[in-house]
Amino acid sequence: MPRARINPLVETLSAPPIPEVQAWKHDYDGRLGPLLDLSQAVPGYPPHPDMLGWLGEAAGSVAMAGYGDIEGEHELREAYAAWVSDIYAADIKQSNVHVTSGCNQAFMAAMMAIAGPGDRVLLTNPCYFNHETTLKMSGIGVDYVDCRAEDGFLPTVAAVEAMIGENVRSLAVVTPNNPTGATYPGGLLQQLLELCRARGIWLIVDETYRDFLPLDAGAPHGLFGVQDWQDNLIGLYSFSKSFCIPGHRVGAVTASEAVVDQIAKVMDNLQICAPRPPQAALAKAISALGEWRRANTLEIAGRAAALRDVMAEAAGWEITALGAYFAFVRHPFSELSAYDAAHRLAREAGVITIPGSFFGQGLEGYLRVAFANADVATIRQLGSRFSACGR
């Protein structure tokens, strides 16, 4: 009897990386102290008490129990549009915003709106693995723009241009980057948008970690101030990190009204609407919790500085890029793959990281360290742990 089949576009994908590496915790015997799980990008402090109160109030509301608008709650779209307008000194309207269930869904919905089977999308190498798997399970081809360590793991405009073929519909970048932490200068993003406009393709900019840029850095870029930006630019954002609510799954797309209309068609089939209680809470939190978010940005910067200091003393290890939640670290085990090096670090030192090879080709010498969920005192333990494993 013939067997019912699984979709080969899904069946051939690798298993989710985070559970795979977190299973290594069982291989560590505790010899150097408690296990330090630096594999997943999660906030290392709780939500603000007011945020928890607003969440509870909204979750217990009869009004929030029904379906909401597909594009998102009016109050959140208004608040987010005003916030983005302020950040970028641009004129972003509520009609330019579509709320989604997390930024992964924002990426999927945007891609379903602009590309289909037979089309191709450019990602960077290294890339965020969920972007890659989203495209592959959708039957969309993926091409990669190599980003080299000597260039700070940023793409060159020439390298991107060389990869734009006939069927390419979009270039997608993440800044600050996951996995490397590299931050795209505004000038580079401007050049990439100009290139995408000249070639008639979309530039997707995922800014999940934008609120952890240095507070004195000014606007991350000027793309939303470019005339007719809507014709080629789509911005993505996640509320998970800045508001410490990854389990509540809320993200946002900033795009033209025409693209928002197309994403609404996708969203109606994916989920109908994003979760309503966290949207109601976020509509209040955006303006009310600004100082709290800024304090958290400083806290993450302190953790990054602590990691840089301790890794400078870890013989054989090298930070090649660092920013927001991440450091991309070169390991000293030339004879080991990235997977085996990460497993050895977990087994011998009780530090769980993600192999560089999970993010692309030619990255066997690297590990991703997601340090945001460890406080400074914990991070200061890492130098001795890495050094112990390096011997």
Side-chain angles (χ1 to χ4, degrees), residues 117-186:
D119 291 333
R120 306 192 72 80
V121 167
L122 300 183
L123 300 179
T124 58
N125 178 41
C127 71
Y128 173 46
F129 41 65
N130 279 13
H131 285 178
E132 180 182 57
T133 52
T134 291
L135 295 169
K136 289 185 174 181
M137 73 171 63
S138 303
I140 299 170
V142 183
D143 296 316
Y144 303 91
V145 180
D146 283 330
C147 300
R148 303 179 302 173
E150 53 266 38
D151 295 324
F153 286 107
L154 296 171
T156 66
V157 176
V160 173
E161 185 169 22
M163 296 298 296
I164 300 177
E166 180 180 354
N167 294 325
V168 169
R169 296 291 174 261
S170 174
L171 164 68
V173 300
V174 182
T175 177
N177 188 253
N178 179 3
T180 67
T183 298
Y184 284 60

Side-chain angles (χ1 to χ4, degrees), residues 157-383:
V157 176
V160 173
E161 185 169 22
M163 296 298 296
I164 300 177
E166 180 180 354
N167 294 325
V168 169
R169 296 291 174 261
S170 174
L171 164 68
V173 300
V174 182
T175 177
N177 188 253
N178 179 3
T180 67
T183 298
Y184 284 60
L188 174 58
L189 289 170
Q190 189 83 23
Q191 290 178 297
L192 292 175
L193 179 58
E194 290 171 2
L195 173 60
C196 289
R197 296 183 74 174
R199 300 298 293 270
I201 68 173
W202 294 96
L203 175 62
I204 311 292
V205 182
D206 182 334
E207 296 185 274
T208 291
Y209 302 94
R210 72 160 183 238
D211 299 326
F212 301 97
L213 291 169
L215 293 175
D216 59 356
H221 54 74
L223 302 187
F224 291 115
V226 173
Q227 186 175 2
D228 299 325
W229 65 266
Q230 301 96 329
D231 294 343
N232 296 88
L233 176 65
I234 298 174
L236 308 180
Y237 178 74
S238 170
F239 294 93
S240 296
K241 318 303 180 183
S242 299
F243 295 88
C244 303
I245 54 167
H248 287 282
R249 312 308 304 134
V250 188
V253 179
T254 304
S256 69
E257 293 181 16
V259 169
V260 168
D261 288 344
Q262 300 310 308
I263 290 175
K265 298 176 186 178
V266 175
M267 188 68 177
D268 188 41
N269 288 279
L270 281 179
Q271 189 160 328
I272 300 180
C273 64
R276 297 188 67 197
Q279 290 189 67
L282 285 164
K284 299 175 181 178
I286 285 175
S287 60
L289 301 184
E291 287 300 320
W292 177 78
R293 292 196 306 273
R294 282 186 281 274
N296 291 336
T297 298
L298 292 174
E299 173 63 26
I300 295 299
R303 297 180 186 192
L307 181 65
R308 191 181 294 279
D309 289 345
V310 298
M311 292 302 293
E313 299 177 2
W317 299 82
E318 177 191 3
I319 292 178
T320 58
L322 181 147
Y325 270 36
F326 306 109
F328 215 50
V329 175
R330 196 191 309 271
H331 68 76
F333 309 114
S334 58
E335 75 284 3
L336 297 181
S337 67
Y339 186 93
D340 289 338
H343 195 182
R344 177 174 173 177
L345 185 66
R347 185 176 61 251
E348 297 183 5
V351 180
I352 300 180
T353 61
I354 296 187
S357 54
F358 282 19
F359 302 98
Q361 299 297 313
L363 302 169
E364 295 294 350
Y366 300 93
L367 308 179
R368 189 193 78 172
V369 178
F371 59 83
N373 67 330
D375 60 22
V376 169
T378 300
I379 288 171
R380 286 177 177 153
Q381 302 175 32
L382 291 175

